[in-house]
Amino acid sequence: MGMFRGITKRYMDGNLILQIIIGIVLGAVLGFIANSGNQMALSIANSMSILGSLFVGALKSVAPILVFILVSSSIIVKEFGNANGLKKIIMLYLIGTFLASLSAVIASFLFPTTLVLQTNNAELLAPQSIIVVLKDLVFKMVDNPVHALSTGNYIGILTWAIGMGIALRHCAVETKKMFKDISEGITKVVKFIIRLAPFGIFGLVSTSVAQTGFEALGGYAKLLIVLVGTMLFVAFVINALIVYFVTKKNPYPLIMTCVKESAVTAFFTRSSAANIPVNMNLCKKLNLDEKLYSISIPLGATINMAGAAVTIAVLALSAVNTLNIQIGFLDALLLSVIAAIGACGASGVAGGSLMLIPLACSLFGISNDIAMQVVAVGFIIGVIQDSVETALNSSTDVLFTAIASKN
């Protein structure tokens, strides 16, 4: 018993990125051997599929309540303050996140990606028009909150979370503390499930490679290229245009400073919250107003989520492409808005943005079961995706604070 407890502790304290890489490698090796015709390996790979199913099932069960609690509590608990320039920074955060989401949608149209998912014909029905999508959207918004949570109606969950948050903005301090505690509690549950990701990824990769060879891994690589490429485009083109529009100066000296002194550390910590002290020190070095950045930097760590918006939009459209769902410009624009709103409520844990993917998928009638398979794919590529996403999110906090405080 003591040995089991010791092994468990070593695993839980271990490096999650390394554990996920090991899970991917072992799963790929087992899947390749099984795909080559080895019956014993095929039998083992089929048995290991239960690990992937359990992981996807755990994500499916916790995601609805996570979205509701995170979004509502972030509105209830967050103090926005009254420092000069803060409204401008918040507006930049929102505009930047929306433009990142829109860039992701455009990139997905230019470089469509597909995934290896377990689907059936009943789930391949495409929305007939934007009117149908909007009608379905409105009816989902007014769904009973309990029914929305139990059925995974993420549009309804988001609507009720925002409504609850606004209604309780001025509640008693004790109530705000309760919501904060509940948010921290559900985050701990999610962290525990994410700690089990290496086992789930091992099962998912071994099964996918056993069935399709390295076609699945090739799809993951293409998806990762689109994700990272879009995030780099946002960092060096979209953000540059925003900075130039606000300051009318060459944006790249400031952008490169933020990349070197904020993005690099955020890449390795994979947490915007953990990078707050680094960003505070950078703001001080840039001689920014302390009253402003002492509020805007912690605020940005929770609502300035350009990288998360890219992740949500690209992965949702990968599911759309996989299911051969045809969508138009207005559908894509609506997805950009939903992905941006969802990103602002992304969890503070590593991989938290992935839990918002079902919200975007629900726009197009994609079932929760398939959406959670997409989330699991996100964890497979998250070794790189989440690091780049955090680097973009965190460095942009300083960037927008700097241009707002100096203009």
Side-chain angles (χ1 to χ4, degrees), residues 69-138:
I69 293 298
L70 285 178
V71 174
S72 58
S73 64
S74 65
I75 297 173
I76 295 167
V77 175
K78 184 59 63 181
E79 298 296 335
F80 293 99
N82 296 305
N84 272 344
L86 189 59
K87 288 183 179 179
K88 189 174 185 179
I89 293 175
I90 293 174
M91 188 59 64
L92 287 171
Y93 284 167
L94 297 178
I95 291 172
T97 300
F98 171 73
L99 291 178
S101 177
L102 187 60
S103 299
V105 169
I106 294 172
S108 294
F109 272 90
L110 294 174
F111 309 101
T113 56
T114 57
L115 305 169
V116 177
L117 303 173
Q118 296 179 11
T119 64
N120 58 63
N121 293 333
E123 291 157 327
L124 300 179
L125 299 176
Q128 297 174 353
S129 68
I130 185 62
I131 302 299
V132 175
V133 173
L134 290 174
K135 180 182 176 182
D136 187 47
L137 181 68
V138 171

Side-chain angles (χ1 to χ4, degrees), residues 286-340:
L286 293 172
N287 295 317
L288 305 184
D289 181 2
E290 186 176 356
K291 290 182 181 178
L292 185 61
Y293 72 71
S294 63
I295 299 173
S296 68
I297 294 301
L299 182 63
T302 56
I303 70 168
N304 184 35
M305 295 289 173
V310 170
T311 297
I312 294 167
V314 170
L315 282 166
L317 286 176
S318 292
V320 167
N321 293 332
T322 302
L323 298 175
N324 294 316
I325 297 175
Q326 303 299 315
I327 63 174
F329 171 76
L330 292 178
D331 298 314
L333 187 62
L334 183 59
L335 172 61
S336 299
V337 174
I338 294 297

Side-chain angles (χ1 to χ4, degrees), residues 67 76 78 104 119 150 253 258 271 283 300 312 364:
V67 172
I76 295 167
K78 184 59 63 181
T119 64
S150 63
C258 292
S271 170
C283 287
I312 294 167
F364 310 109

Side-chain angles (χ1 to χ4, degrees), residues 188-254:
K188 287 181 180 178
V189 173
V190 175
K191 284 182 178 179
F192 174 76
I193 293 174
I194 291 175
R195 288 301 312 187
L196 302 178
F199 295 102
I201 287 170
F202 169 72
L204 290 167
V205 171
S206 61
T207 304
S208 297
V209 176
Q211 293 174 350
T212 65
F214 281 104
E215 178 187 338
L217 295 182
Y220 298 155
K222 183 179 179 181
L223 176 63
L224 190 58
I225 290 171
V226 173
L227 277 167
V228 173
T230 304
M231 290 180 195
L232 292 176
F233 177 80
V234 171
F236 294 103
V237 178
I238 297 298
N239 283 353
L241 290 173
I242 293 174
V243 173
Y244 180 77
F245 180 81
V246 173
T247 65
K248 300 299 188 291
K249 297 177 182 178
N250 180 5
Y252 288 103
L254 180 58

Side-chain angles (χ1 to χ4, degrees), residues 9-72:
K9 188 177 187 307
R10 286 184 63 185
Y11 172 79
M12 296 300 288
D13 293 339
N15 187 308
L16 181 61
I17 298 177
L18 180 60
Q19 291 168 349
I20 289 176
I21 291 174
I22 292 172
I24 293 172
V25 172
L26 292 179
V29 170
L30 175 60
F32 179 73
I33 296 173
N35 185 257
S36 65
N38 187 298
Q39 291 302 312
M40 181 179 291
L42 181 59
S43 177
I44 295 173
N46 289 334
S47 299
M48 290 300 102
S49 66
I50 192 173
L51 294 176
S53 298
L54 285 171
F55 180 58
V56 172
L59 293 173
K60 180 181 174 182
S61 65
V62 76
I65 190 66
L66 173 71
V67 172
F68 180 79
I69 293 298
L70 285 178
V71 174
S72 58

